[in-house]
Amino acid sequence: MSAHPYDHGHTVAGWTGCGIALAGTALLGAGVCTVSGPLLAAGAAVDVLALLVTWVLHLAGWGKPSGPRPREEWSWRVRDSGARSGHAECLGCRWAGRRGGTAEVPAPVTVTVTAPAPVTAPVTAPGERAAEADAVGAGG
């Protein structure tokens, strides 16, 4: 069970692309520190590869659409059922020629909270209240 009541978007495409991009950025950093052109070129190439791998995995259904997903699709092991038709607001899907618009986006959940009715004390005559206090105190 998730510790948060919402989807963070952790997907196979996201984790894979992030891992590859981390390696490419490390190569870029090593190239900057050693003033090495080949390392800079290799790091840039690996970062472009990370972008392409993430895009391909997203199109294959291992990414996620923009916006919230239903709770049963929160696991990173669940493929996106609307990926083949494309996501309506997704730039990557538009670049692939998938115009989208048919992907289901769940409606926002509205919660209404009603305040409890106010509790009022029973109205008693002044003499009755004193009699109750005497009766309560007399039993002890």
Side-chain angles (χ1 to χ4, degrees):
M1 180 166 175
S2 176
H4 302 285
Y6 48 86
D7 177 26
H8 284 290
H10 301 298
T11 63
V12 172
W15 283 109
T16 305
C18 185
I20 296 171
L22 180 64
T25 304
L27 280 173
L28 279 170
V32 168
C33 291
T34 61
V35 191
S36 171
L39 278 179
L40 288 171
V46 171
D47 279 342
V48 169
L49 177 68
L51 178 70
L52 294 174
V53 166
T54 304
W55 185 38
V56 168
L57 285 173
H58 173 78
L59 294 175
W62 290 110
K64 87 178 247 348
S66 299
R69 290 188 292 181
R71 184 178 280 274
E72 59 271 3
E73 293 182 14
W74 282 9
S75 173
W76 63 274
R77 294 179 186 98
V78 177
R79 289 183 76 166
D80 178 22
S81 58
R84 285 197 182 263
S85 61
H87 304 115
E89 299 295 322
C90 180
L91 181 63
C93 288
R94 285 185 287 192
W95 282 351
R98 299 177 183 178
R99 294 294 172 201
T102 59
E104 291 184 29
V105 177
V109 177
T110 56
V111 178
T112 56
V113 179
T114 57
V119 178
T120 58
V123 178
T124 58
E128 290 178 17
R129 181 167 279 192
E132 285 178 12
D134 290 340
V136 171

